[in-house]
Amino acid sequence: MTGINHFQSADTEAEEVELRRTIDKAVEGLRVKDLEVLRQLYTPDVVSFDVEPPLQHVGIAAKLENWAKVFLVFESVTYEVRDLTFTVGGDVAFGHAFARLSGTLKNGAATSGMWVRVTYGMRKIDNTWLIAHDQVSVPLDISSGKGVVDLEP
C-alpha cells in the first residue's frame, strides 16, 4: 500500500519508485559503511531530528557525523525499513516508515537494535530526490518520562 491515492498518475508512480530508490541507497550505504554514498543522498542544508542530542543536527556535515559515530560502534550494520509510504507533490515529498539499526558491535556482540519511527522530507533537485529532513523518534511513556524502545511494527 502506498501513500498515494488510487488515482495516482504514472508520473507519480515513477516518482515514488525514485524516492524508494533513494532510501534503498541509504540502506546500502549504511550496510557498507560508506559516508560518501550517504553524502550524495542528502541536501547540503539537511535538518535532522535524530535520536541523540542535540535537538537538531543541521547540515550535511552534522548528519554524516551521526552516521560516522554509528560506524565507530558497529563492525557490521544492518538497517531495515518497513512500511515505507510516500506522498508526492511536485518537487517535494514526505514519507514515513519504521526503521531498525542492528548488527554486530566492534566488541563482537550482536544487537537486534530497536524499532524507531522515521519521517523523511524529500526535495527533487536537478532531477534527483534528496533527503532534506529526517526525524527519528520512539514513543514516550508519559508516566515515566522514558522512551519505549521494545515495540515492534
Side-chain angles (χ1 to χ4, degrees):
M1 179 183 196
T2 66
I4 302 169
N5 67 40
H6 297 290
F7 303 105
Q8 65 188 5
S9 69
D11 288 343
T12 304
E13 287 178 12
E15 296 296 354
E16 185 172 351
V17 167
E18 288 302 314
L19 286 157
R20 289 175 179 279
R21 194 169 286 147
T22 299
I23 301 306
D24 288 345
K25 288 177 186 174
V27 169
E28 178 61 15
L30 292 168
R31 186 186 70 75
V32 298
K33 301 193 306 187
D34 190 331
L35 290 175
E36 288 310 308
V37 167
L38 296 170
R39 178 185 307 278
Q40 297 170 28
L41 304 176
Y42 294 94
T43 62
D45 59 348
V46 61
V47 175
S48 180
F49 295 168
D50 218 330
V51 291
E52 64 182 50
L55 287 174
Q56 70 177 0
H57 306 263
V58 179
I60 189 72
K63 184 61 189 179
L64 294 178
E65 184 177 324
N66 282 358
W67 288 127
K69 289 177 187 175
V70 168
F71 300 161
L72 287 175
V73 175
F74 281 84
E75 184 65 36
S76 66
V77 175
T78 301
Y79 194 74
E80 298 173 71
V81 177
R82 284 196 192 166
D83 302 334
L84 179 60
T85 303
F86 278 107
T87 300
V88 182
D91 62 355
V92 295
F94 71 89
H96 55 84
F98 299 109
R100 176 170 64 174
L101 180 72
S102 61
T104 304
L105 302 175
K106 293 276 181 155
N107 67 9
T111 177
S112 61
M114 65 181 178
W115 285 102
V116 296
R117 304 172 296 193
V118 61
T119 303
Y120 298 105
M122 311 287 288
R123 289 180 48 210
K124 191 173 189 180
I125 300 172
D126 295 331
N127 291 318
T128 302
W129 284 105
L130 299 173
I131 302 167
H133 174 70
D134 64 9
Q135 178 167 340
V136 180
S137 65
V138 296
L140 176 70
D141 175 42
I142 294 174
S143 63
S144 71
K146 296 184 190 268
V148 181
V149 297
D150 60 350
L151 301 176
E152 294 189 25

